[in-house]
Amino acid sequence: MVKIQDVAKDSGCSISTVSRVLNNPDLVTPDTRERVLKSIEKLGYYPNEKAKSLSSKKQNVSLGLLIPDITTFYFGELYRGISRTAKNSGIDLILRDLDDEGPLQEQILDGMVSLKKHGVSGIIISSRVMTEEYDEVLNRLRIPIVLALSEHKKLKFSSFKTDDIKASFDAISYLVSRGHKHIGMVTSSPTEDKLVGEPRYQGFKNAIDFYRLPFKAKHVAVGNNFRYEGGYSAMTQLLETRETFPFSAVFCATDEMAFGAMRSLHDHNLKVPDDVSIIGFDNLSISNMITPKLTTVSQSFEKIGVESVNHLIKILEEPKMQMETGVFYMPHQIVERESVRTI
Amino acid sequence: MVKIQDVAKDSGCSISTVSRVLNNPDLVTPDTRERVLKSIEKLGYYPNEKAKSLSSKKQNVSLGLLIPDITTFYFGELYRGISRTAKNSGIDLILRDLDDEGPLQEQILDGMVSLKKHGVSGIIISSRVMTEEYDEVLNRLRIPIVLALSEHKKLKFSSFKTDDIKASFDAISYLVSRGHKHIGMVTSSPTEDKLVGEPRYQGFKNAIDFYRLPFKAKHVAVGNNFRYEGGYSAMTQLLETRETFPFSAVFCATDEMAFGAMRSLHDHNLKVPDDVSIIGFDNLSISNMITPKLTTVSQSFEKIGVESVNHLIKILEEPKMQMETGVFYMPHQIVERESVRTI
């Protein structure tokens, strides 16, 4: 069978040019168009019918992506998985981010309405705020939704994420295996943030109980967000307990919190990992660029992106099939670097 | 005059809900719709006609954004400026990123064709590769284009960016003002990369000549990219010259290269800034989270995003007006932190 590659070779053009002659001939110069069409006739090339029907079915398909804050460092990695998978299926992505203006809930609603107006066939939502309050609007929008790094309490939508409880437990197990017995935690609102704060605290606490390590409420220091500033202030609080709680290691709820925590230790003339060991959660690309390189729990951001898109495509291809909804956990792992020492 | 706020207050709903009743009534419950419509009638509210005509004119306007790699750390900041400005004008954004597969030029062409097919009214391109080879396709696309952080040699399109030559000169002036006389540079391909490599090297060299500082070709070490790995390998090369060139400060072409350079110094048991001072270029948010905090040249990423969108909107509103094209330089500044010492 004659392939598009053969036409490209025979006409001395690239595959993309041949593809443009077939799909957008007005974007190609008359000379080139002529040359390609001649090769097509000469070789007897027919575009792969199966591929063609699939691609023409998807030609006008676009997916919406609703994200809370594009400046979070993991976004690029999540996006890469989503983007590559969509591109491979010929699907366009329309991005909508939320900013700090106005109530978050209104912004999410407006974002979904705007995406729907733009004709997207499905929406991937990566937001920490997915409560039942949206259910009515979501029902009215009648559009397939998949959650990435998020979760719907009533499991109405499928979600792809990390098993935060298990991954946090594993982080503490790793510290225990390195000889640590006095372990603190730096986090933000374990009670208010149901999506990240609560399960990561739960995994920490489960492990502390499991290994029968000393525990008091003040061993968990709480900053006002999951970012650098929150990590800095939480570690500064935790250091105040050090006389009665001689911690040798601290589990930080996010890598960015770990950066802030390490700076607080630096400002208190304490060295990582000599004086205090630090383990993070995320495995941001930057975590491998700082000194000491951060030991952390790696989330499969790219895979989460890939699976979210594949799931939406399945729903779109088989709209009548009753899809199983649920939480799909993507693998995590401990990445050993330089911020934890063995004692 | 009755405002939308008054309707919201009277009906006990949010402004967004009132707006939805007016624009997407099927997304609101019958009860709420009823209540809002009653308030509208009672108060005699008429949507602002001027605002309405502007917004309805823009209602279906979307802009395309073509970027080379979403994982570059500055992207989030550039995007924030673009996104906020677009949102304030009721314009949707369609993002298209390029990946590593296939020749870059083909990807850019395909990206532009795909955005055009999606009905965007204009495209913002933020790519290091904008050569005249695209001119013919761009002409055929007949769509307004603005360049962000990029430049077209023949000035066919307006571009918004930093004055790299001037900013690099300023970085060296800063080092000189702190007493440094032996200054090296860590960069990537000053001859091959016309957009960043060449002007930043030019600014460095201009300053070296201006201040009559010692210079040899080997004082400029070249890594294979502008990222962490490139910075690490370039600094490692530069250190080999140290016996004959006792440099006290190094200008790194990007912040990410500076991270790599600092790690190479660390691996050679040299301290920043005690043994070697480092100045970067970009002012990434992460540069303020590492220790030592990076002294660097700040680019106005957010402002570049804002101005790019505003410029495109102007072109769309006055399509017949002959717009002045050219390079618009956005302000830069030296951000003093901890990585440069005074000698």
Side-chain angles (χ1 to χ4, degrees):
Chain A
M1 203 181 76
V2 182
K3 289 181 186 162
I4 191 167
Q5 285 86 344
D6 304 320
V7 177
K9 203 174 168 188
D10 186 75
S11 61
C13 298
S14 68
I15 293 171
S16 296
T17 302
V18 176
S19 161
R20 265 196 295 281
V21 168
L22 294 169
N23 300 307
N24 301 284
D26 52 320
L27 291 175
V28 186
T29 61
D31 281 10
T32 309
R33 199 160 57 211
E34 190 70 15
R35 216 161 67 230
V36 170
L37 290 172
K38 258 188 195 160
S39 297
I40 287 176
E41 212 185 305
K42 189 177 95 185
L43 301 173
Y45 168 69
Y46 295 95
N48 183 325
E49 283 307 316
K50 196 185 155 209
K52 208 185 160 189
S53 91
L54 193 72
S55 88
S56 69
K57 214 165 78 184
K58 277 185 193 155
Q59 202 156 38
N60 292 310
V61 172
S62 58
L63 296 180
L65 178 57
L66 194 67
I67 52 155
D69 180 2
I70 201 166
T71 64
T72 50
F73 294 115
Y74 62 75
F75 173 70
E77 289 160 68
L78 174 70
Y79 181 82
R80 192 160 46 191
I82 292 174
S83 161
R84 284 200 182 148
T85 315
K87 216 178 288 174
N88 288 342
S89 304
I91 292 173
D92 287 316
L93 281 179
I94 300 183
L95 188 68
R96 175 87 193 201
D97 71 318
L98 313 173
D99 49 33
D100 310 323
E101 290 158 37
L104 194 59
Q105 202 197 332
E106 288 291 343
Q107 287 189 50
I108 292 180
L109 287 177
D110 287 347
M112 289 191 286
V113 170
S114 141
L115 287 170
K116 168 85 177 187
K117 263 163 79 179
H118 223 288
V120 300
S121 308
I123 300 180
I124 297 171
I125 301 180
S126 166
S127 170
R128 287 191 170 153
V129 190
M130 275 309 299
T131 66
E132 289 141 35
E133 300 165 53
Y134 303 124
D135 283 6
E136 198 184 314
V137 173
L138 293 177
N139 283 340
R140 282 161 182 277
L141 281 173
R142 286 172 197 279
I143 193 167
I145 287 175
V146 165
L147 306 179
L149 287 171
S150 186
E151 194 175 329
H152 186 272
K153 278 292 157 205
K154 286 190 183 159
L155 303 180
K156 241 181 107 168
F157 310 108
S158 288
S159 62
F160 294 85
K161 63 190 295 280
T162 303
D163 185 343
D164 289 277
I165 296 181
K166 176 82 171 61
S168 303
F169 189 101
D170 292 349
I172 307 308
S173 298
Y174 171 78
L175 294 176
V176 169
S177 77
R178 293 297 173 274
H180 296 277
K181 289 189 181 71
H182 294 82
I183 303 172
M185 181 171 182
V186 151
T187 186
S188 178
S189 58
T191 49
E192 281 167 38
D193 184 285
K194 302 280 177 211
L195 202 67
V196 170
E198 191 175 281
R200 293 190 191 168
Y201 168 76
Q202 195 56 56
F204 166 81
K205 185 63 170 54
N206 289 355
I208 294 290
D209 293 347
F210 181 81
Y211 295 111
R212 301 181 184 198
L213 302 180
F215 180 76
K216 283 187 179 160
K218 66 178 182 179
H219 297 178
V220 178
V222 175
N224 54 353
N225 58 39
F226 288 99
R227 306 201 67 164
Y228 181 85
E229 300 72 24
Y232 188 94
S233 70
M235 179 57 89
T236 306
Q237 291 165 48
L238 194 62
L239 284 170
E240 287 167 16
T241 71
R242 216 168 178 229
E243 265 186 34
T244 54
F245 174 51
F247 57 86
S248 64
V250 176
F251 168 49
C252 298
T254 70
D255 277 10
E256 201 180 328
M257 289 198 102
F259 305 153
M262 293 205 284
R263 181 65 191 201
S264 170
L265 291 168
H266 171 87
D267 291 347
H268 288 83
N269 291 315
L270 291 167
K271 280 206 158 58
V272 178
D274 307 33
D275 299 312
V276 177
S277 291
I278 293 284
I279 189 165
F281 196 115
D282 277 340
N283 194 25
L284 304 176
S285 55
I286 192 75
S287 299
N288 198 29
M289 301 182 191
I290 60 167
T291 299
K293 297 185 184 217
L294 187 67
T295 293
T296 187
V297 179
S298 169
Q299 297 204 69
S300 305
F301 291 119
E302 191 161 341
K303 189 171 166 59
I304 287 169
V306 169
E307 296 300 327
S308 303
V309 175
N310 282 336
H311 193 81
L312 261 185
I313 291 177
K314 258 194 232 160
I315 297 178
L316 296 177
E317 282 179 341
E318 306 281 354
K320 284 175 188 163
M321 195 176 73
Q322 193 61 41
M323 291 291 286
E324 208 184 322
T325 62
V327 181
F328 298 92
Y329 290 128
M330 299 293 112
H332 62 267
Q333 67 179 93
I334 305 292
V335 181
E336 248 187 312
R337 296 204 184 99
E338 302 170 346
S339 63
V340 173
R341 80 181 180 104
T342 300
I343 56 175
Chain B
M1 203 180 77
V2 182
K3 290 179 185 164
I4 191 167
Q5 285 87 344
D6 304 320
V7 177
K9 203 174 165 188
D10 186 75
S11 61
C13 298
S14 69
I15 292 171
S16 295
T17 303
V18 176
S19 159
R20 265 196 295 281
V21 168
L22 295 168
N23 300 307
N24 301 284
D26 51 321
L27 292 175
V28 186
T29 61
D31 280 9
T32 309
R33 200 159 57 211
E34 189 70 16
R35 215 162 66 232
V36 171
L37 289 172
K38 258 189 194 160
S39 297
I40 287 177
E41 212 185 307
K42 188 177 96 186
L43 301 172
Y45 168 68
Y46 297 95
N48 184 325
E49 284 307 316
K50 197 184 153 211
K52 208 186 160 191
S53 91
L54 193 73
S55 88
S56 69
K57 214 164 79 184
K58 278 184 192 157
Q59 201 155 39
N60 292 311
V61 172
S62 57
L63 296 180
L65 179 56
L66 194 67
I67 52 156
D69 180 1
I70 201 166
T71 64
T72 51
F73 294 115
Y74 62 76
F75 173 71
E77 289 160 68
L78 175 70
Y79 180 81
R80 192 161 46 191
I82 292 174
S83 161
R84 285 201 181 147
T85 315
K87 216 178 288 175
N88 288 341
S89 304
I91 292 173
D92 287 317
L93 281 179
I94 301 184
L95 189 69
R96 176 86 193 200
D97 70 317
L98 313 172
D99 49 34
D100 310 324
E101 290 159 36
L104 194 59
Q105 202 196 333
E106 287 292 341
Q107 287 189 52
I108 292 180
L109 287 178
D110 288 346
M112 289 192 284
V113 170
S114 141
L115 287 171
K116 169 84 177 186
K117 263 163 80 179
H118 222 289
V120 300
S121 307
I123 299 180
I124 297 171
I125 301 180
S126 167
S127 170
R128 288 191 169 154
V129 191
M130 275 308 298
T131 68
E132 288 139 36
E133 300 166 56
Y134 303 124
D135 283 6
E136 198 185 314
V137 173
L138 292 178
N139 283 339
R140 282 162 183 276
L141 281 173
R142 286 173 196 279
I143 192 165
I145 287 175
V146 165
L147 307 178
L149 288 171
S150 184
E151 193 176 329
H152 187 271
K153 277 293 157 203
K154 286 190 182 159
L155 303 180
K156 242 181 107 167
F157 310 108
S158 288
S159 61
F160 294 84
K161 63 190 294 282
T162 302
D163 184 343
D164 289 276
I165 296 180
K166 176 82 171 63
S168 303
F169 189 101
D170 292 349
I172 308 307
S173 298
Y174 172 78
L175 294 176
V176 170
S177 77
R178 292 298 172 272
H180 296 277
K181 289 189 182 69
H182 294 82
I183 302 173
M185 181 171 182
V186 151
T187 185
S188 178
S189 56
T191 49
E192 281 167 38
D193 185 285
K194 302 280 177 210
L195 201 68
V196 169
E198 192 176 281
R200 293 188 191 169
Y201 168 76
Q202 197 55 57
F204 166 81
K205 185 62 169 55
N206 290 354
I208 294 289
D209 294 346
F210 182 81
Y211 294 111
R212 301 181 185 201
L213 303 179
F215 180 76
K216 282 185 180 163
K218 66 177 182 181
H219 298 177
V220 178
V222 175
N224 55 353
N225 58 38
F226 287 99
R227 307 201 65 164
Y228 181 85
E229 299 74 24
Y232 188 94
S233 70
M235 178 58 89
T236 306
Q237 291 165 50
L238 194 61
L239 284 170
E240 286 167 17
T241 71
R242 216 167 178 229
E243 265 186 36
T244 55
F245 175 49
F247 58 86
S248 64
V250 175
F251 169 49
C252 298
T254 69
D255 276 11
E256 200 179 329
M257 288 198 103
F259 305 153
M262 294 205 283
R263 181 65 189 201
S264 170
L265 291 168
H266 171 87
D267 291 347
H268 288 84
N269 291 315
L270 290 166
K271 279 206 158 57
V272 177
D274 307 33
D275 301 311
V276 177
S277 291
I278 294 283
I279 187 165
F281 196 115
D282 278 340
N283 194 25
L284 304 176
S285 54
I286 192 76
S287 300
N288 199 28
M289 301 183 191
I290 60 167
T291 298
K293 296 184 185 218
L294 187 67
T295 293
T296 188
V297 179
S298 169
Q299 296 204 71
S300 303
F301 291 119
E302 191 161 340
K303 189 171 166 59
I304 287 169
V306 170
E307 296 300 327
S308 303
V309 176
N310 282 335
H311 194 81
L312 262 185
I313 291 178
K314 259 195 230 159
I315 297 176
L316 296 176
E317 282 179 343
E318 306 281 354
K320 283 175 187 163
M321 194 176 76
Q322 193 60 42
M323 290 292 285
E324 208 183 322
T325 62
V327 182
F328 298 92
Y329 290 129
M330 299 292 112
H332 61 267
Q333 68 178 95
I334 306 291
V335 181
E336 248 187 313
R337 296 203 184 100
E338 302 169 346
S339 63
V340 173
R341 79 180 180 105
T342 300
I343 57 174

